[in-house]
Structure formats: structure tokens, C-alpha cells
Amino acid sequence: MATSPGNKRKHLASSPFQPEPELVIEVYAVDDKVCHDLYGVGRVVGVETHAVAVDFGSRTVRIPSPYRKLQQL
């Protein structure tokens, strides 16, 4: 029986396995300087509920959450 990604199993205290770490989603604000693995250094120009728009100089890119390749400087 497969479980859906939204349903997490409860971690038992007696389990020999470590619980899965919670996914931490970064919070960005307009004018934050960021660095992307593919596009380089840029500046946040727009913030949505599940995405940010980043100006990298040559182009503006909308990056959806979770921001795995995006780091705040």
C-alpha cells in the first residue's frame, strides 16, 4: 500500500531510525540579493505565495518554491 506525499507517518520514539527532517522553505523579500546555481547573482524584484521573481541583469526569472538552487546573500 503506497502513501501519498502529503501523508506523513508519525515517528515513533522507540524507532531505531531517525525522523525525516522538516523541509525549511526560505522567505525572500523584494530587493534581497540572491545567488542561483545556474543564473548567478541577482536581485529579488517580486514575491508571490509560492515563487519569487529575480532580476539577473540580462533577464528576469520566476523561480518556484522550494528554492533549492537559490541562496540569499
Side-chain angles (χ1 to χ4, degrees), residues 4-71:
S4 66
N7 297 336
K8 284 188 159 185
R9 291 184 178 180
K10 183 178 176 184
H11 183 265
L12 300 175
S14 62
S15 173
F17 302 103
Q18 296 293 326
E20 290 185 23
E22 292 290 325
L23 181 63
V24 177
I25 297 177
E26 298 278 336
V27 177
Y28 294 100
V30 174
D31 289 332
D32 282 350
K33 291 198 83 162
V34 295
C35 181
H36 190 274
D37 289 349
L38 182 63
Y39 301 114
V41 177
R43 184 176 56 89
V44 176
V45 294
V47 178
E48 300 173 19
T49 305
H50 297 288
V52 293
V54 181
D55 179 19
F56 291 104
S58 61
R59 66 173 127 175
T60 300
V61 179
R62 182 180 178 272
I63 301 173
S65 174
Y67 316 107
R68 292 192 177 116
K69 296 184 178 184
L70 196 65
Q71 298 172 353

